[in-house]
Amino acid sequence: MDFRLPDDIEDFRASVSAFAAKTLAPGALARAHAPEFPWDVAAQMGQQGLLGLTIPEDKGGQGASLLAAVVAIQAVAAHCPRSADVIQAGNFGAIRTFAEYASAEQREKYLPDLLAGKSVIGLSMTEPEAGSAVTDLQTTAIRKDDGFVINGTKVFGTHSADASVYLVYVRFGPGVGGIGSVLIDAGTPGLTVGEPSMFMNGEHWCQLYFEDCFVPDSQVLLGEGGFKRQITGFNVERLGNASRSLAVGRYAFDAAVRHVTEREQFGRPLAEFQGLQWMFAERAVALESAQLLLHRAAAVGDGELPTAYDTAVAKYAANEAGFGAADLAVQAMGGIGFSEESLVEYCFRRTRGWKIAGGSTEILKNRIAETVFDRRFSQRAGTR
């Protein structure tokens, strides 16, 4: 069994890495501390054909593999961690769900600007009372004439501060079967975008308020009964999260390796202290193991999607390995690792957030256990 990347993917990785080293690395530190979406980077990614990799050609994308998109994220993150978010936004999550289920008219309306890096799509799933229990969402879509009236509130939405269009999960009717989604343009009457709030990693998010917001039928992505199809696409989003977790954790890890090799204390390099050697050895094993699990999840055939189990295992391993590596880097580098003068503290904050976003590590362990025991474990009160 060959664990190396296929030659064409390796050539692609080298090309993206060279582009990122030349174009993105010089501004990496400043970009990490800027809360706004890096539109300049997005435009360059569009010109390089790095957006829409996971979208089939017949739906307007590049028609590349999931593995190629994973490799692209990691190649960019190795030189500029913040810029990897642009690859994520243009290949995984909301944009892929949109491209998969959108009508030809919807794709024609939105996809060109999204893939050119001129706009970004926001994902509006989480609500004040529906986080991990996403099927408890309360935002309603009530039929009126040739469309629906939307009422509800969304929080913690991806790209909510910068999006030109939002993919909004709504309830058309009762139960899981009543959940679907609509596309709502920024500026639509009845949609209010709240003041920006800041996550620990420095990114902004805005609360969205829908008050009698009318959405025509042409803006419905998946109607009643669409939730299960949507959540299948959401499993793929976890590969983007896992890719960044690993790549950003490794960025910090590599920076720490250089630091402890060069930094001397008590008359010798820090790398000569066995306590540090073992810490780095343990993190190296975790990073390498998670990388193989990520490649396994992404290496599916043309048109196929990875299983929920494979994505859960990959994301869990990557979240733990990436944060563990960044945590080690901060500790090993001391004051400089804890300072904003270094990207290491940014890597620490970013990898910590990914243990929550896209399915918390606790939720992932629940999903993994269900496959292990081949049964469903309901988390709801009063069920067994």
Side-chain angles (χ1 to χ4, degrees), residues 10-202:
E10 177 55 38
D11 290 344
F12 175 67
R13 186 207 63 77
S15 174
V16 175
S17 180
F19 157 73
K22 179 181 179 181
T23 308
L24 304 175
L29 183 60
R31 205 171 285 120
H33 296 300
E36 63 273 4
F37 190 76
W39 292 109
D40 59 329
V41 173
Q44 293 177 71
M45 297 293 191
Q47 293 168 3
Q48 293 291 319
L50 296 176
L51 306 182
L53 292 168
T54 62
I55 299 172
E57 287 185 275
D58 62 0
K59 293 184 177 180
Q62 308 293 344
S65 64
L66 284 175
L67 185 58
V70 164
V71 164
I73 283 184
Q74 297 194 305
V76 168
H79 300 284
C80 180
R82 178 71 170 102
S83 293
D85 296 346
V86 178
I87 303 287
Q88 163 76 11
N91 289 287
F92 295 96
I95 193 171
R96 196 179 190 287
T97 301
F98 164 76
E100 182 72 19
Y101 300 115
S103 66
E105 291 75 16
Q106 289 170 340
R107 287 195 295 271
E108 183 179 354
K109 179 179 179 180
Y110 293 111
L111 209 52
D113 280 353
L114 290 171
L115 298 189
K118 296 179 180 179
S119 66
V120 65
I121 186 170
L123 178 63
S124 299
M125 180 188 299
T126 303
E127 297 181 2
E129 303 302 325
S132 293
V134 65
T135 54
D136 288 348
L137 67 88
Q138 299 173 21
T139 298
T140 57
I142 305 300
R143 166 65 73 180
K144 180 181 180 181
D145 302 327
D146 57 347
F148 294 87
V149 175
I150 312 299
N151 281 284
T153 303
K154 297 291 184 179
V155 296
F156 306 141
T158 305
H159 306 306
S160 51
D162 302 292
S164 58
V165 60
Y166 299 93
L167 192 164
V168 185
Y169 280 56
V170 296
R171 181 170 295 287
F172 292 99
V176 174
I179 299 174
S181 59
V182 295
L183 300 166
I184 302 181
D185 292 324
T188 298
L191 165 60
T192 300
V193 180
E195 290 297 315
S197 297
M198 188 175 287
F199 286 121
M200 188 175 80
N201 65 13

Side-chain angles (χ1 to χ4, degrees), residues 268-292:
R268 56 177 175 158
L270 292 174
E272 292 187 7
F273 291 89
Q274 190 179 63
L276 280 173
Q277 293 169 12
W278 284 9
M279 292 164 66
F280 277 85
E282 290 167 355
R283 290 302 98 212
V285 171
L287 288 168
E288 294 292 342
S289 302
Q291 188 71 57
L292 290 173

Side-chain angles (χ1 to χ4, degrees), residues 250-333:
R250 188 174 286 280
Y251 184 104
F253 181 85
D254 290 344
V257 168
R258 291 191 296 271
H259 177 85
V260 302
T261 301
E262 299 166 0
R263 172 76 166 168
E264 291 192 2
Q265 292 288 279
F266 304 104
R268 56 177 175 158
L270 292 174
E272 292 187 7
F273 291 89
Q274 190 179 63
L276 280 173
Q277 293 169 12
W278 284 9
M279 292 164 66
F280 277 85
E282 290 167 355
R283 290 302 98 212
V285 171
L287 288 168
E288 294 292 342
S289 302
Q291 188 71 57
L292 290 173
L293 289 170
L294 174 60
H295 282 174
R296 184 185 73 173
V300 291
D302 255 354
E304 294 182 35
L305 295 177
T307 68
Y309 175 78
D310 282 349
T311 56
V313 168
K315 182 180 183 295
Y316 175 74
N319 286 165
E320 293 295 325
F323 177 68
D327 187 32
L328 164 62
V330 170
Q331 188 70 20
M333 293 175 67

